[in-house]
Amino acid sequence: DAGVIQSPRHEVTEMGQEVTLRCKPISGHDYLFWYRQTMMRGLELLIYFNNNVPIDDSGMPEDRFSAKMPNASFSTLKIQPSEPRDSAVYFCASSPLSGGAFFGQGTRLTVV
Amino acid sequence: AQSVAQPEDQVNVAEGNPLTVKCTYSVSGNPYLFWYVQYPNRGLQFLLKYITGDNLVKGSYGFEAEFNKSQTSFHLKKPSALVSDSALYFCAVRDMINDYKLSFGAGTTVTVRA
């Protein structure tokens, strides 16, 4: 398995634009997590899914953020409209029912 | 609710000396505990986990961690640190009874000097 795959690796966009981050989890994993990492806030859990169903989205900072998991092999995190304070590294991770999570390489988002 | 505390922002040790990175946790159900390492501009890499059984868990790159239920701690240790161990280390807890949420501590930056 190629591991968790995120795209794009880097994204630079202008304030107000829509941004879509993509994630392909490891096949067979039941859980998918989206995290955001910044120097100020560390690693924050934004939302996680179990079998494609969102379980807890209390970490999503604002209504501008939304996440979907239309099937077991794909998830998106969308920011609309984007703001400079959204600049961060966004990680996707997947895990089996029991055990730890495997992380993707992350998407470094810069909003100018 | 669950939480993870890493009381030290930074740990500095000399190469060859023992390394300890501290972690305490709070969870209502049965905890699964993990340590991850992050190198610059990389994702988090799994080091080791505690699920059940022996309180001393051995992981990758010579690291080990000791689970202490009474102190709700899961400290990461390495008997002899290497310069290449310099990185950002995260402790994480997962509630395996209630919601299976995976929560991370703030991270500890380890610097090993030659």
Side-chain angles (χ1 to χ4, degrees):
Chain A
D1 199 317
V4 177
I5 299 174
Q6 291 186 247
S7 64
R9 290 294 310 277
H10 302 274
E11 176 80 33
V12 180
T13 190
E14 292 185 348
M15 181 174 62
Q17 296 298 306
E18 177 180 294
V19 175
T20 299
L21 311 182
R22 297 172 176 80
C23 175
K24 176 178 168 51
I26 293 172
S27 177
H29 281 187
D30 300 302
Y31 286 83
L32 184 140
F33 304 84
W34 281 101
Y35 292 90
R36 177 172 70 176
Q37 186 177 31
T38 61
M39 290 292 291
M40 291 297 295
R41 294 177 176 270
L43 197 61
E44 301 173 275
L45 176 62
L46 300 177
I47 185 172
Y48 71 104
F49 296 82
N50 177 26
N51 292 326
N52 313 338
V53 176
I55 302 301
D56 185 347
D57 65 354
S58 60
M60 297 285 261
E62 298 173 35
D63 291 344
R64 299 184 296 106
F65 286 70
S66 63
K68 294 182 179 180
M69 193 166 184
N71 56 63
S73 59
F74 184 65
S75 178
T76 60
L77 178 67
K78 185 176 295 186
I79 308 173
Q80 167 62 20
S82 57
E83 296 182 4
R85 59 190 167 130
D86 301 332
S87 298
V89 180
Y90 291 81
F91 286 104
C92 175
S94 70
S95 82
L97 174 62
S98 61
F102 294 83
F103 280 74
Q105 291 298 300
T107 295
R108 182 173 297 275
L109 173 64
T110 303
V111 183
V112 298
Chain B
Q2 61 197 62
S3 64
V4 180
Q6 294 182 241
E8 300 159 317
D9 291 336
Q10 293 195 359
V11 170
N12 300 305
V13 297
E15 188 172 36
N17 281 2
L19 169 63
T20 298
V21 186
K22 296 180 181 177
C23 171
T24 58
Y25 67 91
S26 174
V27 66
S28 56
N30 288 341
Y32 279 20
L33 296 158
F34 309 89
W35 276 100
Y36 288 81
V37 60
Q38 185 181 33
Y39 298 100
N41 300 314
R42 301 292 296 274
L44 278 70
Q45 298 177 30
F46 171 81
L47 273 181
L48 53 78
K49 66 181 178 183
Y50 171 83
I51 294 177
T52 187
D54 290 340
N55 290 341
L56 185 64
V57 178
K58 294 187 182 297
S60 307
Y61 312 119
F63 284 93
E64 58 188 29
E66 186 166 12
F67 171 65
N68 187 316
K69 188 174 182 178
S70 63
Q71 297 185 3
T72 61
S73 67
F74 189 57
H75 301 331
L76 180 70
K77 300 180 181 182
K78 187 170 185 179
S80 179
L82 301 173
V83 172
S84 57
D85 294 328
S86 299
L88 181 58
Y89 290 79
F90 290 97
C91 181
V93 65
R94 194 169 189 189
D95 184 340
M96 300 308 293
I97 295 294
N98 294 312
D99 59 11
Y100 295 85
K101 181 187 293 187
L102 181 61
S103 299
F104 285 80
T108 299
T109 299
V110 171
T111 302
V112 182
R113 60 186 184 277

